[in-house]
Amino acid sequence: MALDSSLYSSMIWFSHVAQHGGFTKAADHLGVTRAALSQHVKSLEEQLGVRLLNRTTRSMSLTEEGKKLMDVLTPSFDSIERVVTELREAHDEPSGMIRINTSRVAANLLLIPVLDQFLEKFPKVRVEVSINDGFSSIISDGMDVGIRLGESLDEGMVAIPISPAITPTIAASPSYLDIYGYPNTPEDLVDHNCLAYRFSSSGAIDRWKFQHSSDRERTLEFEPIGNAIFNDDENMIKAALNGVGLMKHLDLCIEPHLNEGRLVKVLEDWCQSFPGFYLYVSSRENMPAKIRALIDFLLEQRGQFSKL
């Protein structure tokens, strides 16, 4: 039989009477009248059908039934108090597990390179990183935060930009371009070996979209055709560095190779920037300190990216 919920508050009041050894001290501690406290205990005894306290005008003691109930209530209330204290501390000091859902690119670009610094700064925090390149709901998946491009965000999420604007970039090695030349328009790509990326989640090939800087209304879409298809960007980048063909990637992901001349941009006028990656949560209300700490840390890291 389910326990009557009205008993819970009466049991709390009873436990205070037992711990303080009397109604007067317990009433002072709780900030209630002695009469109100006595009435709660009396109601509890009536509902349970047993006497919990032996009491006279001068003294009070637990009955056998009262001791039996307190033997159960004391460790239970201690556990509840400990958890409540931990929850309050977690709101003030970053601690506990953060479950992060992120795409592979976002993880490799924004999270993994600085994860050691974050964990060193907040030693009471632990993280679980779940990589998923498809659309994902952090609520249904039991995640605390997500990191994705703006177009991939769950509806109704609170989103914080943690990277600068991003430009999709077509690039190749100097050796490839020396042999096959530079494409001047997207139409020229039919004469080039274009490395393709296949999404692991959907199995679809990532199509290359173009929009000229002088004509934002005109959009071209191109399916890359070449002799190599990849489902991980690291090996696709290696192939491009080795002169296999042209590739499309986000500029921030290949910034070192571009800065050092190992990769060269092409079709720059056709590649327009868009808002970058966001960290998103379901609500700002009662945000735990661990989540606030992660957001502030990644916002600080945002400044590390240079302009290409």
Side-chain angles (χ1 to χ4, degrees):
M1 183 176 66
L3 188 65
D4 187 344
S5 60
S6 65
L7 293 176
Y8 292 131
S9 60
S10 295
M11 285 190 289
I12 294 173
W13 290 47
F14 161 72
S15 69
H16 280 284
V17 172
Q19 289 170 359
H20 287 86
F23 285 90
T24 301
K25 290 183 178 179
D28 290 341
H29 176 78
L30 293 170
V32 298
T33 65
R34 188 181 187 282
L37 189 54
S38 178
Q39 183 58 44
H40 270 277
V41 174
K42 182 180 179 181
S43 175
L44 178 61
E45 290 177 323
E46 290 175 350
Q47 292 185 70
L48 296 178
V50 296
R51 180 182 294 176
L52 300 172
L53 298 171
N54 291 316
R55 48 192 182 272
T56 67
T57 55
R58 294 190 176 185
S59 64
M60 184 217 78
S61 64
L62 292 172
T63 65
E64 182 180 352
E65 291 78 11
K67 291 178 181 178
K68 194 172 185 179
L69 182 57
M70 278 301 295
D71 287 342
V72 176
L73 292 180
T74 299
S76 298
F77 287 147
D78 287 346
S79 297
I80 292 171
E81 185 175 355
R82 183 168 58 253
V83 170
V84 169
T85 299
E86 290 174 355
L87 291 175
R88 286 172 175 165
E89 290 177 349
H91 189 269
D92 298 326
E93 180 183 7
S95 63
M97 176 71 77
I98 305 177
R99 293 174 174 84
I100 306 170
N101 183 293
T102 178
S103 66
R104 190 177 308 277
V105 170
N108 292 337
L109 178 66
L110 302 172
L111 188 61
I112 303 304
V114 297
L115 189 58
D116 60 328
Q117 300 174 41
F118 176 73
L119 294 176
E120 182 177 358
K121 186 174 183 179
F122 303 103
K124 292 185 179 181
V125 173
R126 296 182 297 147
V127 299
E128 178 180 337
V129 181
S130 176
I131 304 295
N132 187 337
D133 288 327
F135 287 90
S136 177
S137 168
I138 60 172
I139 296 177
S140 61
D141 291 344
M143 297 287 139
D144 298 303
V145 304
I147 301 176
R148 295 188 180 276
L149 294 172
E151 61 189 21
S152 303
L153 297 185
D154 287 345
E155 195 172 330
M157 294 290 104
V158 176
I160 300 97
I162 58 171
S163 82
I166 286 176
T167 304
T169 299
I170 310 299
S173 69
S175 61
Y176 175 88
L177 295 172
D178 286 343
I179 296 173
Y180 299 101
Y182 287 68
N184 294 311
T185 68
E187 288 87 349
D188 294 339
L189 293 174
V190 296
D191 298 323
H192 284 268
N193 191 42
C194 297
L195 309 180
Y197 182 86
R198 187 185 300 279
F199 294 107
S200 299
S201 56
S202 64
I205 295 292
D206 183 25
R207 299 178 70 85
W208 298 5
K209 296 180 180 180
F210 298 98
Q211 188 180 63
H212 198 276
S213 57
S214 64
D215 186 4
R216 296 300 182 92
E217 299 298 321
R218 183 189 178 199
T219 300
L220 299 178
E221 195 168 290
F222 174 78
E223 181 171 347
I225 299 175
N227 57 15
I229 300 174
F230 303 86
N231 69 350
D232 72 295
D233 57 329
E234 291 185 8
N235 284 317
M236 183 175 67
I237 293 173
K238 289 179 182 178
L241 290 169
N242 290 334
V244 176
L246 289 161
M247 60 167 278
K248 187 197 86 167
H249 211 321
L250 304 179
D251 57 349
L252 294 181
C253 295
I254 56 174
E255 179 178 4
H257 303 305
L258 294 169
N259 288 340
E260 295 175 16
R262 294 192 297 270
L263 289 176
V264 178
K265 293 181 182 181
V266 299
L267 300 176
E268 290 189 63
D269 288 342
W270 289 90
C271 300
Q272 306 306 313
S273 62
F274 59 89
F277 287 96
Y278 292 80
L279 181 148
Y280 61 100
V281 295
S282 59
S283 174
R284 291 185 186 273
E285 294 184 8
N286 297 317
M287 185 180 290
K290 60 184 178 182
I291 305 301
R292 296 199 309 269
L294 179 63
I295 292 173
D296 291 342
F297 177 81
L298 292 179
L299 285 175
E300 291 175 4
Q301 297 299 316
R302 182 182 182 184
Q304 72 176 320
F305 296 102
S306 63
K307 294 291 184 180
L308 295 175

